[in-house]
């Protein structure tokens, strides 16, 4: 996706999805949603890889603000 450093990771209970709170190269913060996906290849057999599923990118002034935005905008992080 973009060039950023991960400052916090929030995983779902299954360990197959996560939200990454990142610091962008300009100093702003954002969140990215990722999922663990599987692939099958005759060359490498079966494997898994992290795939980004974010639809856009937010820009926040702090990691706390980026996390609040994630908890309000990512379905599996919203309290039921």
């Amino acid at each position: 996706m973009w060039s950023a450093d991960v400052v916090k990771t929030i995983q779902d209970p299954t360990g197959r999805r996560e939200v990454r709170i990142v610091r962008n190269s300009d100093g702003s913060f954002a969140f990215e949603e990722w999922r663990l996906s599987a692939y099958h290849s005759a060359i490498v057999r079966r494997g898994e890889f992290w795939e980004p599923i974010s639809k856009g990118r937010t820009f926040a002034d702090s990691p706390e603000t980026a996390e609040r935005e994630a908890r309000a905008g990512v379905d599996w992080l919203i309290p039921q």
Side-chain angles (χ1 to χ4, degrees):
M1 292 188 73
W2 299 272
S3 173
D5 296 318
V6 177
V7 296
K8 182 176 183 177
T9 301
I10 306 166
Q11 283 199 330
D12 80 335
T14 69
R16 300 199 62 81
R17 293 182 295 185
E18 66 184 31
V19 167
R20 299 174 186 177
I21 307 300
V22 298
R23 182 182 178 134
N24 300 310
S25 58
D26 68 358
S28 66
F29 295 86
F31 73 88
E32 302 171 347
E33 188 178 4
W34 293 72
R35 72 173 162 224
L36 195 58
S37 295
Y39 62 88
H40 183 78
S41 166
I43 297 170
V44 295
R45 298 189 182 175
R46 182 173 163 76
E48 293 183 319
F49 63 98
W50 284 100
E51 174 182 33
I53 57 173
S54 297
K55 303 217 177 4
R57 185 122 190 217
T58 60
F59 295 92
D61 60 350
S62 71
E64 294 80 15
T65 302
E67 183 173 344
R68 275 195 304 275
E69 290 175 0
R71 292 188 181 279
V74 176
D75 292 343
W76 57 269
L77 284 176
I78 298 172
Q80 299 300 319

